[in-house]
Amino acid sequence: MQEYLSIYDILLTPIYLGVVFFFAKIYEKSKIQQHPEYKYFTTGLFVKILGAFALGCVYMFYYEGGDTTNYFQSARAYVNLASLNWKDFLEGWFGDPTKTTSWFYFNEETGFPVYWHRDHHSFFVVRLLIPIVFLGCKSYFCSSILTAAITYSGAWKLYRTFLNEFPKLRRELAIACIFIPSCVFWGSGLMKDSFTLSAVGWFTYAFYYFFILKKRTLSFGLQLFIAAFVILSIKPYIFFALLPGSILWLSNQQIAKIHNSTLRFLATPVLLAIGGSIGFISLTQMGDSLGLYKVDTVLERATIVQKDMKSEHYGGKSFDIGEFDASAAGVGSKAHLAVFAGLFRPGIWDVKNAVMLISSLENTYLLFLTIFLLIKLKVFGFFQLIRMNPLLLFSMLFSLFFAFSVGLTVANFGSLVRLRIPELPFFVSAIFILRHLYEIKSGKKVKF
């Protein structure tokens, strides 16, 4: 792994760790008296960095290279180019991504990017990583520390959003938003998922304050715009699930303000229909930005991907929800299987290797929690409680629709465990919140 690691990884990594934790501890102490939840801040950051290190080690020493090392190699080539020709560097970093001539800026001395302009989603991640790798002194692990620290902000903002609505669930929501193993591993290092997971947290936080709490400041507006831009630039399909859920969240928030039960009953279908229509029209108008996931082609793409991913060269790491055609009826017939796969697979029964085992234990535990609550709340009460809080409803809508989308369009476990992580903080938070609401309603303590 000499092409990825250098002497700086040994010499500078302890220094970077010390500096990051020094400032994190200062920040934690400045907040903890007024906000007790900050007792989790430094611990969460430590776990995040540990996840970034684990990701790097697995890819370097188990897989012998992959996405994370390719992103690092690409960003490092640009940093090397900056020291040779500043003008060419700026042209390559900020210039027209369709220009193939910029490839000739690189040579054996700079190294060559792996991800190039033709894959504009991956290249956007390279653009984000260039200043990080520069500040990390071209060290993989120092760059991983900085990436983990920067993207941790999104997880923390999501945690604070849920906590503002449910302040008694400090520990439970910290587990859901910060400490889920899959999110820690796949969403901390030099990967697309680190930036998109963080952007989802920022988007939810900014949407909550800007639209729900009506704090219409420039700061929240910019946060919302930047988060949406990052998601659309890297993984547009996340926005495909996020936007309709957000609009329905806002619609449901307005419904909750209607005190007259009869009027609320009459207004509910109207406002939800309006919200759903706005979401659908918005996604339709954003066809170019959504790329392969635009509304008029997404069902056809789902059938193609399913057939491809079930081919034999995936070596038993694929799963099958059955054949379906690219129609609403065909997709609807597989909805339950897609949602189950997106939420709870791979399970113990799917394990083929050590990496899958870790994910399967997490999923199996989550499945038992969900079944437990469905039994306790008698199914109908489960969905009745969801309607009590607009944020809870949004969390369930987003996580279920996202699970459906991923379960429908992915048939390989290796991809599934990574692609599903945006839904996990929302679904796990919703499960803990439902347990809390059940305890209030029944007067009984539930332990799991």
Side-chain angles (χ1 to χ4, degrees), residues 119-190:
D119 183 0
H120 59 278
H121 295 312
S122 296
F123 186 68
F124 185 83
V125 178
V126 175
R127 282 176 157 161
L128 293 177
L129 285 173
I130 287 169
I132 294 175
V133 172
F134 174 78
L135 293 172
C137 296
K138 297 186 286 188
S139 156
Y140 176 87
F141 285 111
C142 291
S143 301
S144 295
I145 292 169
L146 295 177
T147 301
I150 292 168
T151 57
Y152 177 59
S153 62
W156 187 257
K157 290 297 184 182
L158 183 63
Y159 173 52
R160 295 297 308 281
T161 302
F162 277 107
L163 202 62
N164 199 60
E165 289 283 306
F166 300 96
K168 294 182 179 179
L169 300 180
R170 284 200 297 265
R171 177 178 170 273
E172 292 87 346
L173 293 174
I175 293 171
C177 298
I178 301 172
F179 298 113
I180 295 176
S182 291
C183 296
V184 169
F185 182 79
W186 294 109
S188 300
L190 309 184

Side-chain angles (χ1 to χ4, degrees), residues 384-395:
Q384 191 176 40
L385 282 180
I386 289 173
R387 292 179 59 249
M388 290 178 60
N389 183 275
L391 176 56
L392 177 58
L393 180 62
F394 162 72
S395 299

Side-chain angles (χ1 to χ4, degrees), residues 397-409:
L397 286 174
F398 171 68
S399 54
L400 291 175
F401 184 71
F402 193 87
F404 165 72
S405 303
V406 174
L408 191 72
T409 57

Side-chain angles (χ1 to χ4, degrees), residues 263-447:
L263 186 59
R264 184 169 62 248
F265 177 79
L266 295 173
T268 295
V270 176
L271 289 175
L272 291 178
I274 292 172
S277 299
I278 292 172
F280 180 80
I281 292 169
S282 299
L283 289 173
T284 303
Q285 295 300 313
M286 292 169 60
D288 292 337
S289 298
L290 291 171
L292 293 171
Y293 296 91
K294 54 188 178 182
V295 173
D296 56 350
T297 62
V298 69
L299 296 183
E300 183 179 351
R301 171 175 165 75
T303 61
I304 294 171
V305 172
Q306 270 282 326
K307 290 176 182 177
D308 175 65
M309 295 289 265
K310 287 185 288 190
S311 58
E312 293 182 1
H313 68 268
Y314 282 98
K317 297 178 183 177
S318 62
F319 62 94
D320 187 5
I321 63 171
E323 297 290 336
F324 59 90
D325 58 71
S327 66
V331 169
S333 67
K334 301 298 179 182
H336 61 296
L337 296 174
V339 170
F340 184 84
L343 288 175
F344 305 118
R345 295 188 74 180
I348 292 292
W349 58 92
D350 296 314
V351 172
K352 301 291 182 181
N353 55 48
V355 176
M356 285 177 64
L357 176 62
I358 297 171
S359 180
S360 70
L361 291 173
E362 176 184 283
N363 295 338
T364 303
Y365 179 64
L366 186 58
L367 175 61
F368 282 137
L369 298 188
T370 306
I371 293 173
F372 176 82
L373 275 175
L374 283 169
I375 293 172
K376 280 287 183 181
L377 296 171
K378 298 180 176 62
V379 182
F380 180 76
F382 183 89
F383 293 101
Q384 191 176 40
L385 282 180
I386 289 173
R387 292 179 59 249
M388 290 178 60
N389 183 275
L391 176 56
L392 177 58
L393 180 62
F394 162 72
S395 299
M396 271 296 181
L397 286 174
F398 171 68
S399 54
L400 291 175
F401 184 71
F402 193 87
F404 165 72
S405 303
V406 174
L408 191 72
T409 57
V410 176
N412 176 264
F413 286 126
S415 299
L416 180 66
V417 296
R418 180 164 52 89
L419 297 179
R420 65 194 282 267
I421 64 171
E423 84 202 20
L424 288 177
F426 293 90
F427 187 72
V428 177
S429 293
I431 292 297
F432 283 133
I433 292 167
L434 283 168
R435 184 191 70 172
H436 174 66
L437 294 177
Y438 169 76
E439 289 177 343
I440 293 174
K441 185 177 180 180
S442 66
K444 300 176 182 178
K445 278 298 221 182
V446 177
K447 292 185 178 181

